[in-house]
Amino acid sequence: MNEKWRYLYYSIMGYVFIPERIRNIKEKKLLHISDTPTIFFDALKKLLNDLSPHIIIHTGDMVDNIKLEKYSYLLPKYEQHLKSIIDIIENSSAEKIYVCAGNHDNVEIMRKHLTRSIIIEDCSKVEVFNKQATLSHYPMKVVENSSDYNFFGHDISLRNDMINNKVYLNGISTINILTSETNRLFYLPYPKAIDDARLMKGKIGL
C-alpha cells in the first residue's frame, strides 16, 4: 500500500500517519501537540509508540472538549480524562515532558497526577536540542518572550511561521516534529474529527 492510501486509511481510522521519511530518521525527535480532545487519546498513544519521541511538549488544554473555563461543574469528568492522557504521555519512552496549563486546565489537579512532567503555568524558557525554546499555551506570551523555537496552542491567531529567524509552532494547526541534530521540522495533520471535538462546532481552542 503506497503512502497516499496509507494516509487515507489512517485518517479514516482516526490515527496519525507518519511517513517513512520521518519514521526512518535516526536522530532524537521532539513531538509538539496542543489542545487535545479525548477523541485523540488513542491516536496519541499509537503516535507515541510509533515515533518514540525523546521530548514531548503539550501546550495546554489537555482535555480540550471539556471547557473548564466555562463549565467548572465538569471538573470531575475533566480529572477522569486528564488521568487517561497523563497515563499515555508519562508511560511513553520520552525522557523529557513539558506540559503547559491551558485556560481549560486545572493546575492543582495537573500537579496531583503529573509525576514526571514539568508543568509550565504561564510561560517559560527551556532548552531543547541545544536551542532555547519558549513554551506557553498562549500565542502572545511566546511573542513577548520569544526564543529560537516558540511552542504554543490556544487559538490560530498565530500559525506556524518563521519571524526574524525565530520559529513559531502552533500545536493546534499541526502535530509538530523537530529533529535533534539537523533541526528539521515536520508538520503532520491531526485526524479530521479532532477539530470538530475542539471547536465545539465552530470555535478553535477557546
Side-chain angles (χ1 to χ4, degrees):
M1 187 184 297
N2 64 32
E3 287 201 346
K4 178 182 177 181
W5 290 109
R6 289 174 64 195
Y7 167 77
L8 182 61
Y9 172 77
Y10 271 63
S11 181
I12 291 171
M13 297 301 293
Y15 292 118
V16 179
F17 175 65
I18 307 173
E20 290 301 320
R21 69 182 186 279
I22 299 175
R23 285 177 179 267
N24 294 334
I25 292 173
K26 303 304 181 184
E27 304 172 47
K28 294 177 180 178
K29 304 177 193 73
L30 177 153
L31 175 71
H32 171 220
I33 54 175
S34 195
D35 298 71
T36 49
T38 54
I39 195 174
F40 181 62
F41 290 3
D42 285 344
L44 175 59
K45 185 174 183 179
K46 179 170 175 52
L47 175 62
L48 293 175
N49 287 336
D50 291 346
L51 190 67
S52 299
H54 179 74
I55 300 173
I56 298 171
I57 295 175
H58 191 306
T59 46
D61 287 355
M62 298 188 76
V63 189
D64 192 44
N65 54 300
I66 297 179
K67 307 298 186 184
L68 274 189
E69 190 174 54
K70 293 184 175 183
Y71 309 111
S72 58
Y73 65 89
L74 292 174
L75 193 63
K77 189 175 181 181
Y78 163 83
E79 183 171 9
Q80 175 188 350
H81 291 304
L82 181 71
K83 288 191 288 185
S84 296
I85 188 171
I86 288 173
D87 182 66
I88 291 168
I89 291 173
E90 295 202 333
N91 282 306
S92 72
S93 60
E95 293 188 18
K96 294 181 182 179
I97 305 171
Y98 299 98
V99 177
C100 298
N103 55 307
H104 295 305
D105 286 311
N106 181 291
V107 176
E108 290 185 7
I109 292 178
M110 290 172 72
R111 286 201 196 103
K112 177 180 173 183
H113 296 291
L114 286 164
T115 59
R116 71 181 192 95
S117 303
I118 297 172
I119 301 173
I120 310 294
E121 291 192 37
D122 182 37
C123 181
S124 185
K125 294 191 176 187
V126 302
E127 184 179 292
V128 297
F129 302 148
N130 299 314
K131 299 281 188 178
Q132 190 180 64
T134 298
L135 281 56
S136 179
H137 181 58
Y138 304 99
M140 286 304 102
K141 291 287 185 180
V142 299
V143 171
E144 293 166 359
N145 301 275
S146 61
S147 298
D148 300 313
Y149 291 97
N150 302 279
F151 299 90
F152 57 94
H154 185 57
D155 60 31
I156 54 171
S157 58
L158 177 62
R159 296 179 182 268
N160 296 335
D161 204 351
M162 178 175 283
I163 304 171
N164 297 326
N165 294 317
K166 295 179 178 181
V167 178
Y168 292 84
L169 295 167
N170 188 327
I172 288 182
S173 299
T174 51
I175 297 164
N176 303 310
I177 298 169
L178 174 67
T179 63
S180 60
E181 296 174 24
T182 55
N183 300 128
R184 282 178 287 176
L185 279 167
F186 300 93
Y187 310 97
L188 301 180
Y190 284 93
K192 291 182 179 179
I194 302 307
D195 271 348
D196 285 342
R198 284 173 173 158
L199 308 176
M200 306 299 285
K201 297 299 180 181
K203 297 181 180 177
I204 288 186
L206 294 184

